[in-house]
Every structure is written in C-alpha cells, then in structure tokens.
C-alpha cells in the first residue's frame, strides 16, 4: 500500500532539529531513527536527510555510520542510484577506498562525477596504476571523460611513463574540444609533456590554449628549466609578461634558476626587481631560487643578503646556501653556515651533508669531517649514495683510502658516481692496482664509464707508474669511441712526461684537434723535470704564440733555467714578468690542529703566534734528519744566492714549517698537510727522514696527489 509521506513533514522537520542537537552516538541514532524518516518523509526530503547524516559521518570519520546509512537505505527500498554517488564520496572522504569501490560496483548507473571522485582519490594517494585502470574501465563503459577526468589522469600517465596512452587521451581531449577551451586540461597536458621531456609538444599545446593563465605558462617554464633549456625558460617568462599574465611564486623560482644556470646576472637582477615589485620577495620558494641564482653567478655577497631576508630558512634553503658556498670556494663559510643550521635544529638531508663533507674534503679538515660522519650516521644516511660519496671523497682527500673503502663497501646502491669517487680516491693516493680492479668491477656490473671515470683511471695509472697499462686503457677508450677531452690527453702527456718519453708526449699532443695551453704546459713541466732546455724553449715559443705573456709558462722556464744554472736567462724571465706585473703564487701549506686550520707561507717565519717554538722545533728536526743522512738539494732553489742562503731558503719551505708546528703541538695520530703546489725534491727527502725520526705517519696532499710518509719511505716510491 502507498505510504502517506505528506502527513509526516512537520514531524520529520522537528526530528531533524532534535537530531542535530542531541549528543548521543551517531551510529545508534541512525539505526533507531531511520524507520521514522522513511515513513514520514517524501523522497526529496529523505534524500536531503541522507545528505545531512552523511555529512555528519564525514565530520566524525565514521565509516560504520556510513555503512549503517546504506543498510537502512537498502532495507527501506530507497533507490541507490539517487544517493550512491554521495555514499562513494563520503567513503572516500573517510579514507575508505575499499568500501567506496564496493558501493561503486553495486551501482547500476554511475555518474561521471563518481568516476572522477575515484580517479582523483587514486591520484591524490599516489596510486596511479589504479587511477589508470579506473579510467580504462570508464572508457570501456562508454562514459566520456570531462575536463576533471583528463586533468587528473594525465598526471597518472606521467607517473607510469605511459606516453603512448597519454597521447591517445590527448587526441580524445582534442576531439572533445577540451584541449584549447579548458585551461585545466591545457595545463595538465603541458605538465605531462614537460615531464616526458617533450618541451616542443608542451609549447605547441600552450600555443593552442585560448585563455592562458599563470599555471599553464609556469608549467612550461618549469619544464624548460628542468630539461636544461634555460634560454627558452627566460623567453617563455618574457612572453608571459608581454601577454600580461602575472607570474606567481613558482614562476619566479623557476626562471631565476634558469638565469643562474645561464649565469645571466642581467636578467636575474631584472627579475629580482619584478619579484620585489610584485610582492613575492618574501615567498620562500622564490627567495631560495634567488640566492641560488646569485651563487651560480658567483655573487656570494648578494646571495648572503638574500639569505638574510629569509625569516625561517628551511632544509632546502640551507642546502642551497651551503652547496653554493662550497662551489664558490667558500668552504670555511659553508661549514660555519652548516653549524648554524644544526644549531637551529633544521634536519639536514643527504645533499646537505654531502655538500658539508665536500667542504671538509677541499680543506682536508679530517676531524670536522669525522664529526659530520657522526651526523650522517645519526640521521641514517650511512648507506645513502650521495652522503656516502661525500664520505668517500672526504676520506680519500684526507689520505685515508682504507676508510673510504669501508664506507664504499657499506653503500646499499653502487652507482657510477660512488665508483668514480672511490677510483679517484685510489688514484690520488697512488693505489693504481686497486683503482683498476674497481674499474673492472664497474664494467662487470654493466655500468657505463663517463669522462670522470676515464680521467680517474688514467690518473691512477699515472700516479702509480703504470705506463703500459695506461697506454692500453687509453687505446681501448679510443677504440670504444669514448669522447676523450683535453684533460684526458693532458693526463697521458703527464704520464709520458714523468716516464721521460717526451717525444711520445709531444706526438700525442699533435693528434689533438685544438690543443690548449694546459696540454703544452704539461709537456713543458716534464721538460723542466728532465731538464730538456732546447725542447722547453721550442714549446715555450708555441705557448707564447697562443697566449703572449702566459704566467705559468714564464715561471716554468725561469725555474728550468735556474735548475740548470742559466742565471742570465732567469733574469730575462723575471724582467718580463715584472714588466707584465705578474706575480708568482707563494707556496703555502695548511695543517688542521684541534679543529683549527693553521696556514704557513714559505719564508714567513714570524707571523704565526708560536713562531719561536716552531723555529726551535724545526732546527731540531733538521738536525735529526741530517744525522740520518739528509743533505739539502740546492737545485730546488730558483734564485742565484750563496750556498748557505740556499740552505736557509730550503729550511723555510711552507711544509717544513707546518710539520714542525704539528710536531711541537704533539698532535696524536697522523700529521696531515695540505699544500697548494707540488712538493719539491728537497722537502720530499726531508719528510721521509722526519717520519722515521718522529715514528709517525706524515700525509702530504700536494696539488697533484698524496704522499704517505712512513718510517723513512713514501707511498709514491719517489715517483711523482
């Protein structure tokens, strides 16, 4: 019999007000009151009531309440097609996708909104495969997608790298007229093609969209920036301004990064001005990109001013600052900022730690590097490839290849970067055989060597005297059509030069299409070592034709003439340098004691506050070394002076002062010295004997390699 709904409208209205104010359990209320609702209300009012109850279930995240509502609906015979979409939506908002799908599958007819709700849920929760499966089912059921469907599913295609299917759906969007008329679909397409690396297709889509907005154009700018097409990113930004589309925070952030990559400080400063004028100077994303842009343009002071404007720098901002300072050779400042970051309780990521470790590596700050290693362990980055490579680099550049290898062996993932870092560590420290074994492992793993690999392997052969092995590898690289740069040729020239095979070295240079100054200067350096004056003069003429007044060449020739006693020619060289106002870089050495770096310059005996104690200890060490047979090698003095003056000059070399200071301070463990030039023959002989006197290891990192002095001998085998 037909129910009389009209008579119960007033009663139902009173009940609804009561239900909204009662504090009893939602689920028990639903069970006890549904009978009354369905008896007393008409269909429209009952639907409205269900919606009210569902909203309350959503507010309380009560999936059991939603299930009770559905049960009462089914029991009362209420048509599910009227509220099925609302049940699905409520279930999704409560995070219950399984129940939502169950309701969805039981619906005889599904509205496009319900399909979109499920697809959007899957996208939001990074379940792209299920989103695409739902989209395919939708098409199979002859339900045409709308702008919301397509703008969601294009993201899923990108996540799953389904380029072909994405292009087919793009075609469907064109047929439905949504590509040009709907900015949401257009933006999603641009973003999709950008992430597929197809910026040309993304630009074509953008050009066809009728009404362009900031999201659409920013997506293209981001794509250009990420793909390295920085000039196009700047052009797109300029076109955006012409079309009077107001950039947002992310537009500025992306285009500033491109300006930094291009080192285009002119446009960078103009965009900075626009950012200030538009009120985005305080936006964190654009501020971070601003300081990064200045750092990449080597304007450190400007970047620091930008950083100081940031009230609450986050992890990304700190990392950008620290890595940028290291790249600009401001390692000490980078480490100071890293300490500030830690004091501010901002958790570093693996890139932050990798940059801080690189700063320690460049300064050979072993102790501080070990402390950062502790932070790496604290945050669980021991097995991370980025932090791991930073640790390998640190220990390698501090002369601890064994510790570098321990870190390498614990990495969860071995890639080309970590292998290159370990091979280079072995190369610098003169462990050529170990470097070649690791290179063989790289090949067996199927990893493709890059130019850094090739350089590291050749350097390993060079520093270990493995000339034949180096020649074989070089030829194999050439046969494999690996792109060899001038740096690779310079390494081979240096290898031949050290071995005294100067003619072969010169012949190799002639094979290079455009030999640069470094190649010829490397050969000239070999001529100096082997005192080949005539060949050196011929090479010098070539270099000066390419670069008149080249400072390095004049210094090398002056030193060669001095070592062969041609003092008249030395005077000529020095006169030329004086006329050109050229200055030779002073020899300097650094030693870290108790987390403090001490600097010593050759001939500077009194600037250090402990100079008296240093000189006293130095005299003692020289005497002890002479007792073991040390005799000054006066060929290392490149000035015409009396013999006693030459001896005094040799005693004042920067590494001798640094070692004397470290011995006087009585530091424990190995003594680590960093030097800006190659160690000379005299110092090399002296340090070998001092290592026997003090019965401790002395590690010296010069401009080319490491020397490990132990008990009167050096790891280089006197080959350097």
């Amino acid at each position: 019999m037909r129910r009389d709904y009209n008579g119960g409208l007033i009663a139902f209205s009173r009940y609804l007000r009561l239900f909204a104010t009662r504090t009893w359990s939602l689920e028990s209320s639903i069970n006890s009151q549904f009978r009354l609702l369905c008896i007393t209300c008409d269909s429209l009012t009952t639907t409205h009531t269900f919606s009210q109850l569902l909203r309350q279930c959503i507010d309380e995240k009560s999936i059991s309440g939603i299930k009770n509502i559905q049960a009462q609906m089914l029991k009362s015979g209420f048509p599910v097609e009227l509220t099925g979409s609302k049940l699905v939506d409520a279930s999704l908002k409560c995070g219950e996708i399984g129940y939502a799908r169950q309701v969805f599958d039981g619906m005889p007819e599904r509205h496009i909104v319900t399909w979109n709700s499920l697809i959007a849920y899957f996208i939001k929760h990074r379940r792209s495969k299920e989103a695409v499966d739902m989209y395919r089912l939708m098409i199979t059921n002859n339900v045409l997608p709308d702008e919301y469907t397509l703008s969601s599913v294009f993201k899923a295609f990108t996540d799953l790298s389904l380029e072909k299917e994405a292009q087919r759906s793009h075609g469907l969007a064109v047929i439905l007229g949504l590509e040009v008329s709907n900015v949401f679909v257009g933006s999603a397409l641009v973003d999709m093609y950008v992430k597929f690396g197809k910026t040309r297709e993304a630009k074509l889509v953008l050009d066809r969209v009728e009404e362009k907005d900031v999201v659409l154009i920013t997506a293209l700018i981001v794509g250009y920036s990420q793909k390295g097409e920085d000039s196009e990113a700047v052009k797109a930004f300029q076109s955006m301004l012409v079309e009077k589309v107001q950039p947002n925070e992310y537009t500025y952030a992306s285009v500033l990064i491109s300006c930094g990559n291009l080192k285009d400080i002119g446009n960078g400063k103009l965009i900075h001005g626009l950012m200030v004028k538009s009120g985005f100077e305080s936006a964190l994303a654009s501020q971070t990109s601003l300081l990064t842009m200045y750092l990449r343009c080597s304007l450190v002071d400007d970047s620091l001013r930008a950083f100081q404007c940031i009230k609450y720098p986050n992890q990304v901002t700190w990392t950008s600052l620290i890595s940028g300072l290291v790249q600009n050779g401001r390692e000490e400042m980078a480490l100071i900022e890293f300490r500030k970051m830690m004091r501010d309780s901002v958790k570093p990521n693996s890139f932050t730690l990798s940059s801080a470790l690189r700063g320690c590596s460049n300064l050979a700050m072993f102790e501080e590097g070990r402390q950062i290693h502790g932070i790496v362990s604290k945050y669980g980055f021991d097995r991370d490839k980025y932090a791991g490579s930073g640790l390998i680099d640190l220990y390698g550049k501090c002369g601890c290849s064994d510790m570098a290898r321990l870190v390498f062996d614990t990495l969860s993932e071995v890639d080309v970067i970590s292998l290159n870092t370990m091979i280079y560590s072995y190369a610098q420290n003169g462990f050529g055989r170990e470097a070649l074994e690791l290179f063989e492992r790289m090949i067996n793993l199927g990893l493709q060597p890059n130019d850094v690999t090739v350089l590291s392997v050749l350097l390993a052969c060079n520093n270990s005297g493995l000339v034949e092995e180096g020649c074989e590898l070089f030829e194999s690289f050439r046969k494999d059509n690996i792109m060899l740069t001038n740096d690779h040729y310079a390494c081979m020239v240096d290898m031949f030069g050290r071995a005294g095979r100067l003619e072969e070295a010169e012949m190799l240079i002639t094979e290079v299409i455009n030999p640069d100054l470094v190649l010829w200067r490397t050969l000239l350096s070999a001529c100096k070592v082997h005192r080949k004056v005539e060949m050196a003069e011929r090479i010098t003429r070539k270099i000066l034709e390419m670069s008149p007044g080249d400072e390095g060449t004049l210094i090398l020739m002056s030193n060669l003439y001095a070592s062969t006693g041609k003092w008249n020619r030395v005077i000529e060289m020095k006169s030329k340098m004086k006329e050109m106002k050229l200055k030779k870089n002073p020899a300097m050495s650094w030693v870290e004691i108790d987390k403090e770096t001490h600097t010593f310059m050759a001939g500077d005996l009194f600037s250090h506050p402990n100079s008296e104690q240093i000189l006293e200890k130095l005299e003692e060490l020289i005497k002890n070394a002479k007792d073991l047979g040390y005799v000054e090698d006066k060929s290392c003095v490149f000035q015409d002076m009396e013999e006693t003056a030459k001896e005094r000059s040799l005693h004042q070399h920067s590494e001798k002062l640094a070692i004397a200071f470290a011995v006087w301070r009585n530091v424990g463990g190995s003594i680590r010295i960093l030097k800006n030039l190659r160690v000379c023959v005299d110092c090399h002989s002296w340090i070998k004997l001092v290592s026997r006197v003090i019965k401790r290891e002395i590690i010296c990192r010069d401009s080319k390699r490491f020397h490990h002095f132990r008990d009167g001998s050096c790891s280089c085998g006197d080959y350097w």
Side-chain angles (χ1 to χ4, degrees), residues 532-550:
K532 299 285 188 179
V533 177
E534 290 182 9
M535 187 177 192
E537 288 176 336
R538 178 163 49 81
I539 292 166
T540 297
R541 286 193 292 272
K542 284 187 178 181
I543 295 175
L544 295 180
E545 284 174 10
M546 296 169 66
S547 176
D550 181 67

Side-chain angles (χ1 to χ4, degrees), residues 492-516:
M492 288 301 297
V493 169
D494 191 43
M495 187 187 301
F496 282 133
R498 289 198 206 186
R501 295 160 62 170
L502 303 182
E503 289 76 14
E504 290 176 77
E506 186 173 10
M507 190 178 298
L508 190 62
I509 294 176
T510 59
E511 295 178 16
V512 180
I513 297 173
N514 291 307
D516 58 14

Side-chain angles (χ1 to χ4, degrees), residues 477-617:
F477 293 141
R478 288 211 281 197
K479 286 178 183 175
D480 292 340
N481 293 321
I482 291 176
M483 185 67 69
L484 296 173
T485 66
N486 282 5
D487 289 337
H488 301 131
Y489 278 92
C491 194
M492 288 301 297
V493 169
D494 191 43
M495 187 187 301
F496 282 133
R498 289 198 206 186
R501 295 160 62 170
L502 303 182
E503 289 76 14
E504 290 176 77
E506 186 173 10
M507 190 178 298
L508 190 62
I509 294 176
T510 59
E511 295 178 16
V512 180
I513 297 173
N514 291 307
D516 58 14
L517 291 176
V518 175
L519 277 169
W520 288 113
R521 206 184 292 140
T522 302
L523 180 56
L524 182 61
S525 182
C527 292
K528 173 188 166 294
V529 171
H530 297 284
R531 301 186 182 182
K532 299 285 188 179
V533 177
E534 290 182 9
M535 187 177 192
E537 288 176 336
R538 178 163 49 81
I539 292 166
T540 297
R541 286 193 292 272
K542 284 187 178 181
I543 295 175
L544 295 180
E545 284 174 10
M546 296 169 66
S547 176
D550 181 67
E551 180 181 358
T553 300
L554 296 175
I555 291 170
L556 278 170
M557 282 307 298
S558 175
N559 291 346
L560 173 56
Y561 287 137
S563 64
T564 54
K566 298 180 182 294
W567 299 110
N568 289 335
R569 302 305 301 273
V570 171
I571 293 169
E572 286 178 24
M573 290 291 110
K574 290 192 173 180
S575 295
K576 281 186 181 180
M577 291 170 66
K578 190 173 181 180
E579 286 172 13
M580 291 187 245
K581 297 181 180 179
L582 301 177
K583 272 192 171 183
K584 182 179 177 182
N585 289 331
M588 301 184 75
S589 294
W590 297 266
V591 60
E592 183 190 3
I593 307 290
D594 295 335
K595 302 178 193 174
E596 185 180 358
T597 301
H598 297 262
T599 304
F600 296 89
M601 187 166 65
D604 182 5
L605 304 180
F606 304 108
S607 63
H608 196 281
N610 301 111
S611 57
E612 186 178 338
Q613 294 90 338
I614 293 169
L615 293 175
E616 186 179 333
K617 179 57 69 175

Side-chain angles (χ1 to χ4, degrees), residues 22-310:
R22 293 288 295 268
T23 57
W24 59 48
S25 165
L26 173 64
E27 294 170 26
S28 62
S29 300
I30 292 167
N31 291 332
S32 61
Q33 303 301 323
F34 245 94
R35 297 184 192 89
L36 177 62
L37 295 177
C38 293
I39 292 171
T40 60
C41 299
D42 60 55
S43 176
L44 182 62
T45 307
T46 304
T47 302
H48 178 70
T49 305
F50 287 153
S51 298
Q52 293 279 355
L53 291 174
L54 284 173
R55 273 197 292 273
Q56 193 165 347
C57 289
I58 292 168
D59 291 341
E60 298 185 16
K61 301 293 181 190
S62 175
I63 191 64
S64 58
I66 295 171
K67 288 180 179 179
N68 282 334
I69 290 173
Q70 188 194 23
Q72 293 296 340
M73 286 171 59
L74 293 171
K75 192 172 181 181
S76 64
F78 194 80
V80 70
E81 59 267 20
L82 294 179
T83 55
S85 294
K86 294 183 181 296
L87 284 169
V88 170
D89 182 63
S91 301
L92 292 176
K93 287 176 179 174
C94 290
E96 187 56 55
I97 181 63
Y99 184 67
R101 186 62 193 267
Q102 181 183 329
V103 174
F104 176 82
D105 290 340
M107 293 172 64
E109 292 184 12
R110 300 133 175 174
H111 192 272
I112 183 68
V113 172
T114 312
W115 290 98
N116 287 345
S117 295
L118 283 165
I119 291 170
Y121 178 89
F122 287 131
I123 296 291
K124 181 181 177 181
H125 291 83
R126 301 190 177 189
R127 295 164 66 171
S128 298
K129 185 179 183 304
E130 290 162 282
V132 171
D133 288 341
M134 182 62 65
Y135 172 74
R136 290 168 180 164
L137 182 63
M138 176 182 176
I139 299 298
T140 305
N141 279 265
N142 297 317
V143 179
L144 285 176
D146 62 10
E147 62 268 30
Y148 302 107
T149 322
L150 292 170
S151 58
S152 294
V153 81
F154 284 141
K155 177 174 171 43
F157 289 140
T158 306
D159 293 341
L160 299 173
S161 300
L162 298 173
E163 190 174 335
K164 294 295 182 186
E165 190 164 358
Q167 289 173 333
R168 286 196 294 271
S169 295
H170 180 189
L172 182 57
V174 173
I175 292 168
L176 296 172
L178 295 173
E179 183 207 39
V180 298
S181 64
N182 191 279
V183 72
F184 296 108
V185 175
S187 296
L189 278 167
V190 169
D191 182 65
M192 180 188 76
Y193 280 120
V194 155
K195 287 176 179 173
F196 281 135
K198 294 183 173 295
T199 50
R200 179 177 170 274
E201 286 80 354
K203 178 68 164 57
L204 289 172
V205 171
L206 183 141
D207 289 340
R208 286 197 294 266
V209 175
E210 292 170 350
E211 293 186 14
K212 300 172 178 60
D213 68 357
V214 62
V215 176
L216 180 71
I217 304 174
T218 299
L220 182 64
I221 292 172
V222 169
Y224 281 138
S225 180
Q226 290 176 343
K227 201 184 174 189
E229 298 178 16
D230 298 298
S231 296
E232 295 300 320
V234 175
K235 287 179 186 175
F237 179 80
Q238 291 167 341
S239 299
M240 181 181 195
L241 298 179
V242 170
E243 295 187 24
K244 296 186 173 13
V245 176
Q246 178 63 43
N248 63 19
E249 173 185 357
Y250 304 102
T251 323
Y252 284 119
S254 298
V255 75
L256 283 169
I257 290 294
S258 289
C259 288
N261 292 339
L262 294 168
K263 296 187 173 22
D264 184 357
I265 192 59
N267 272 319
K269 287 191 171 183
L270 285 173
I271 293 167
H272 183 186
L274 283 172
M275 193 173 80
V276 174
K277 187 177 178 181
S278 304
F280 287 104
E281 191 178 24
S282 60
L284 188 58
S286 49
Q287 282 181 320
T288 301
S289 295
L290 184 64
L291 77 90
T292 302
M293 184 270 292
Y294 281 127
L295 284 166
R296 288 182 181 173
C297 293
S298 301
L299 298 175
V300 175
D301 293 336
D302 291 279
S303 71
L304 290 172
R305 279 192 288 272
F307 181 76
Q308 287 162 5
C309 293
I310 303 174

Side-chain angles (χ1 to χ4, degrees), residues 630-633 636 650 656 680-687:
Y630 167 64
V631 177
E632 292 86 350
D633 188 338
C636 296
L650 290 170
K656 288 188 175 80
C680 73
V681 174
D682 179 75
C683 286
H684 194 271
S685 302
W686 181 80
I687 299 171

